[in-house]
Amino acid sequence: MRAKRTSLVHIIYFSRLTLSSDPAKRSAQVDDITRVAQKKNEFAVITSLLMIEGNFAAQVIEGERTSVHETFDRIAADPRHREVQICEWREIAKREFVNSFKCAQRGGANDSHFAKANLLPMFQRGTPKTSAILSLAMAIQADAMSRQGIDHLFV
């Protein structure tokens, strides 16, 4: 028996970022990405989590097939991203993420999650594992929810 097709998909990609090396300008650029992406994703009913480590980004995007495709096309055309590569694009039965857009940069509070995922060498080689990206995203989300006192997610 064939599995029922769904219009709900997720895409996992990674890219090199072309953001400023000046910390203040870089922070403003990330804030701009966050502000614009959150509005567009809310409108398109997309959930996602963007992870930034050094000059690399990885993101999980979930939603209806057409919305995810349009969103990814915008990202691939964005001059702040280069060498955009899809790691996985597949149908999913349910969403894993709750926020329309969340951004996590490697830093103090989440450093242990990024260290455990060990994505930087994979990014540098151009061979990140989909499972490592997804695991990191799930760990970051679980940690954020735990800090809010949410111990279980019903999606």
Side-chain angles (χ1 to χ4, degrees), residues 32-154:
D32 183 55
I33 290 169
T34 300
R35 188 179 74 265
V36 171
Q38 188 160 1
K39 286 179 185 175
K40 288 185 183 241
N41 286 4
E42 285 174 3
F43 181 77
V45 193
I46 285 177
T47 50
S48 68
L49 192 127
L50 174 69
M51 296 152 289
I52 300 174
E53 183 169 13
N55 288 324
F56 295 94
Q59 187 172 15
V60 181
I61 305 169
E62 304 172 323
E64 295 298 319
R65 185 179 312 275
T66 302
S67 296
V68 170
H69 183 78
E70 289 169 357
T71 299
F72 179 75
D73 284 348
R74 249 191 340 271
I75 291 165
D78 189 324
R80 295 172 293 197
H81 293 273
R82 65 176 223 258
E83 300 173 28
V84 180
Q85 294 182 36
I86 296 172
C87 299
E88 180 175 81
W89 186 316
R90 68 178 174 89
E91 292 181 349
I92 56 175
K94 65 181 181 90
R95 293 177 189 258
E96 297 289 340
F97 297 93
V98 295
N99 294 51
S100 60
F101 183 85
K102 203 67 155 168
C103 180
Q105 295 185 72
R106 186 172 186 166
N110 63 24
D111 190 62
S112 63
H113 295 304
F114 276 89
K116 183 178 178 186
N118 197 29
L119 283 170
L120 190 56
M122 291 185 248
F123 286 148
Q124 292 167 333
R125 289 189 308 268
T127 59
K129 293 181 180 174
T130 302
S131 59
I133 295 170
L134 188 56
S135 292
L136 175 59
M138 297 297 290
I140 289 169
Q141 177 175 261
D143 190 50
M145 293 177 68
S146 169
R147 290 173 195 223
Q148 296 174 24
I150 302 169
D151 64 352
H152 190 73
L153 178 63
F154 297 97

